[in-house]
Amino acid sequence: QVQLVESGGGMVQPGGSLRLSCSASGFGFSFAYMSWVRQAPGKEPECVSSISSAGDRQWYADSVKGRFTISKVNANHTLLLHMNNLKPEDTALYYCARGGWGTPAPRNQWGQGTQVTVFS
């Protein structure tokens, strides 16, 4: 059974930084592509970043390119998202997801989410 537990969300001012972490279990993490998906109230889910199984290829949405960095630590089954220069439009619930490359993975492959709020 896929289990994904996100942490690291919070409230920051514009220009601030956060690091999201996802602990994965119940599947072959080392062999899985992984993604971060976000959903703001009233909006469709958006894949913001994806990473290959070995961590050697990354994809970023244009809206976060140059500000967010995704990484994957296979040794301890952890997915990370470093977010810098945060903007109010980054406010959303952020989900760790198994699979996906540029588009959201199926909903049943997401964790429970962690809230990121950027306020001015």
Side-chain angles (χ1 to χ4, degrees):
Q1 181 179 358
V2 174
Q3 290 193 328
L4 299 166
V5 180
E6 303 93 338
S7 61
M11 299 178 68
V12 296
Q13 292 184 324
S17 299
L18 285 173
R19 188 189 78 161
L20 304 185
S21 182
C22 170
S23 178
S25 62
F27 65 99
F29 182 79
S30 300
F31 304 104
Y33 280 52
M34 298 293 294
S35 295
W36 286 97
V37 177
R38 69 184 180 188
Q39 187 168 22
K43 294 189 176 182
E44 292 294 312
E46 174 191 20
C47 180
V48 296
S49 187
S50 302
I51 192 166
S52 61
S53 55
D56 56 341
R57 293 187 297 126
Q58 302 86 30
W59 177 92
Y60 297 96
D62 287 343
S63 57
V64 307
K65 201 171 291 183
R67 300 188 297 121
F68 289 12
T69 302
I70 191 171
S71 59
K72 189 173 185 270
V73 185
N74 285 333
N76 60 9
H77 291 201
T78 300
L79 182 71
L80 300 172
L81 185 68
H82 287 82
M83 305 185 295
N84 296 319
N85 191 21
L86 283 161
K87 304 176 181 181
E89 52 265 41
D90 294 318
T91 295
L93 197 56
Y94 283 71
Y95 299 92
C96 170
R98 177 192 183 194
W101 186 264
T103 58
R107 183 61 182 88
N108 62 1
Q109 299 295 311
W110 301 8
Q112 293 303 304
T114 185
Q115 179 67 41
V116 172
T117 302
V118 186
F119 65 99
S120 55

